[in-house]
Amino acid sequence: MAVEVSERESELDPEAGREPGAEAGADDPPAWRVLLEYVRPYRMTLLLGALLSLVTGATGLALPLVARELINNLSADEAIGGALLLMSLLVVANAGIGALGAYVLQRTAESVVLTARKGLVSHLLRLRISAVDRSEPGDLMARVSSDTTLLKAVTTDSLVGLATSALTLFATLVMMAIVDPALLGVTVAVVGLAAAVIGLIVPRIRRASRKAQESVGLMGASLERILGALRTVKASGAEHREEEAVHEAAQDSWRQSVRAAKWSALAGNTAGLSMQVAFITVLGFGGARVATGAIDVATLVAFLLYVFYLMAPIQQLVQAIAQYQLGSAAVSRIQEALRLESEPDYPPAPLPATGAEPAGLVFEEVRFRYAPDQPEVHRGVSFAIPPRGMTAFVGPSGAGKTTVFSLIERFYDATSGRVLLDGRDVREWETPQLRAAIGYVEQDAPVLSGTLRENLVMGAPDADAERLADVLRTARLDGLVARLPDGLETMVGHRGTKLSGGERQRVAIARALLRRPRLLLLDEATSQLDAVNEAALRDTVADIARRTTVLVVAHRLSTVTMADRIVVMDAGEVRAVGSHAELVTADPLYAELAATQFLATG
């Protein structure tokens, strides 16, 4: 359903995808074809629901004929019991079969929504970080929630409603032609005029629906932005200003939705008005034909009943067209999200076994920029890290230190040059296999909502109790677990708000250590620890470095001096590589940083 990108292109071209809001390309499939792909797994139940709807319509179409027979029997003074019984059975069957058909269709529509949501969520979780950087998380969430919800109505009202209402309409017209062709001609003339008017309205419904869905996405993005930094908003006294921004987005969504509702209501009322005009016209013209003896009263009554029944499929047809406009706008937004560049969906890779050999790392003339219109972050970065030992990256803010880790993890790909792990370009690794070998502690040490245990074993779900207990002691979290009311099962709150900054950092370190990494990346991993915990963890890292390869982005001199080698970076280049003693005398920038006892983050 989504526009496919070859695996190699997806691997090597970080700009292959398009961001949400990009216009659909000429090669993109139409919305109806995408909808058919969504319903394909449920085509049998959808067909069953459609058949039940058609049977419901057929029972309704039989009623005017039975009514004509009943009137004729009354006129001839004949028994009407059989006609009344048949009419009663048809009414009951119409209600029962209609209810069953509606349930089948609604259940199928919910299944379509579920499939769309699961597919979209799976795709979003595999997005490249570069694609996420160009997107608004709140807007992506709106596509998963509100846009996919619209598929429910479009499945039942558009795909099924369009087919069943068209067939019912055709069958009704056939029956009307059988009853009286002259009256049919009058009816078709009135309905045709209304159809021309509705045809002018439909494009406006689609445009307004598209804008309404985009406004919902903008509102979600605005709200997510605020809730993600609510403490900062409150501390800045900016609640009212931010409130106005979200209110404006909500107001715009309301405006566009009302505009779509206006055009939809106009289309529906045009259809209703045409049927009323048709009814009155048929009544007048039919009455004249009765007066001249061309038809009898029973025939006129039967035809008027068909006009009455014609109203339902016509209104259903108009509703189907209107819902299709809503659905096609939602499908377009879903497809835009699916076009965002994602990583290949490889199967999960096993974590390194205990005692696995540490990894060696080499950067060869690596150049990198986050976007084509942005300056280079790395400008020919080269260095070699042998297996085992600890390497510290230091330098001013913006030097490109954290970007080194992002390129190793393949959150981004180098613009040119190579990043080699174990002598192999990281772009040649299967992504899960690459990341299984790496433990990564981010700068802000994020903790997810859930239990402490869930956060710890996120990267190693099969870790046993002994392994977990050992890592808790290593990260000095065993005391915290003992103090918590529910131990490892304690809920940590949204983004770990029930933990201190230092505790969140230790959770992130423990999470990385549980993976038994062959390469451990620590980005400012001790910045929020107190002196005692930092010293203890520093000793732990030194011990780990004897068994694996450890890379540290650090600004504390105490951490840097214990490193086996130090890489000094500035303005996207490597200035020098050496030990603390060597660099203090050989590199003025490092000497300055060391003298201040502070190495700036970046």
Side-chain angles (χ1 to χ4, degrees), residues 472-488:
L472 288 174
R473 286 191 296 271
T474 300
R476 298 179 68 87
L477 279 171
D478 48 343
L480 170 66
V481 174
R483 292 194 305 273
L484 292 174
D486 298 315
L488 289 172

Side-chain angles (χ1 to χ4, degrees), residues 318-392:
V318 172
Q319 183 181 10
I321 294 172
Q323 285 293 343
Y324 176 76
Q325 303 311 311
L326 290 170
S328 62
V331 166
S332 177
R333 282 171 49 79
I334 292 171
Q335 290 302 103
E336 284 174 1
L338 290 173
R339 283 195 298 268
L340 284 171
E341 183 197 9
S342 64
E343 298 172 341
D345 186 15
Y346 294 115
L351 296 177
T354 303
E357 285 297 311
L361 179 72
V362 175
F363 269 51
E364 293 182 349
E365 288 297 320
V366 171
R367 291 182 174 272
F368 172 74
R369 65 178 80 228
Y370 285 101
D373 59 344
Q374 293 185 6
E376 283 189 324
V377 180
H378 282 181
R379 299 187 296 172
V381 171
S382 296
F383 58 80
I385 308 295
R388 291 189 178 82
M390 175 178 168
T391 301

Side-chain angles (χ1 to χ4, degrees), residues 26-38:
D27 296 332
D28 293 336
W32 64 265
R33 186 175 296 173
V34 177
L35 287 170
L36 288 178
E37 288 296 324
Y38 279 124

Side-chain angles (χ1 to χ4, degrees), residues 53-77:
S53 296
L54 288 175
V55 172
T56 302
T59 58
L61 290 176
L63 281 171
L65 297 179
V66 177
R68 183 170 67 173
E69 184 65 24
L70 179 63
I71 294 172
N72 287 333
N73 289 345
L74 285 171
S75 301
D77 200 22

Side-chain angles (χ1 to χ4, degrees), residues 544-567:
I544 293 171
R546 298 187 186 98
R547 305 188 302 274
T548 190
T549 308
V550 178
L551 273 58
V552 179
V553 170
H555 70 271
R556 292 187 179 180
L557 189 60
S558 56
T559 302
V560 175
T561 53
M562 61 180 286
D564 298 291
R565 70 196 57 79
I566 301 166
V567 178

Side-chain angles (χ1 to χ4, degrees), residues 7 18 74 90 117 146 199 222 272 313-315 379-380 396 403 408 459 476 488 496:
E7 182 175 298
R18 275 186 290 180
L74 285 171
L90 286 173
R117 283 177 175 167
S146 63
S222 298
I314 286 180
Q315 288 186 327
R379 299 187 296 172
T403 304
I408 296 171
R476 298 179 68 87
L488 289 172

Side-chain angles (χ1 to χ4, degrees), residues 127-260:
L127 287 181
R128 285 197 177 279
I129 298 298
S130 56
V132 176
D133 290 344
R134 299 192 303 268
S135 309
E136 289 284 355
D139 181 56
L140 294 178
M141 287 189 288
R143 294 172 196 248
V144 175
S145 55
S146 63
D147 287 335
T148 54
T149 300
L150 288 176
L151 294 179
K152 179 168 60 177
V154 81
T155 299
T156 53
D157 291 344
S158 290
L159 293 182
V160 177
L162 199 61
T164 57
S165 60
L167 287 172
T168 303
L169 179 62
F170 177 75
T172 305
L173 292 174
V174 169
M175 298 302 295
M176 294 170 78
I178 293 172
V179 172
D180 191 82
L183 291 177
L184 173 62
V186 173
T187 306
V188 169
V190 175
V191 174
L193 181 61
V197 175
I198 292 171
L200 298 174
I201 295 173
V202 165
R204 291 173 169 81
I205 297 176
R206 188 182 192 285
R207 285 195 295 271
S209 300
R210 169 76 192 205
K211 290 179 180 178
Q213 289 304 108
E214 288 176 351
S215 298
V216 170
L218 290 174
M219 181 178 65
S222 298
L223 190 58
E224 190 274 338
R225 166 180 167 271
I226 294 167
L227 294 179
L230 192 56
R231 285 178 173 81
T232 301
V233 171
K234 287 181 176 293
S236 303
E239 294 98 330
H240 290 294
R241 291 193 300 276
E242 297 297 339
E243 179 183 46
E244 289 174 4
V246 178
H247 284 185
E248 177 57 34
Q251 186 75 17
D252 188 54
S253 176
W254 173 84
R255 257 191 316 269
Q256 301 298 341
S257 297
V258 167
R259 185 170 292 132

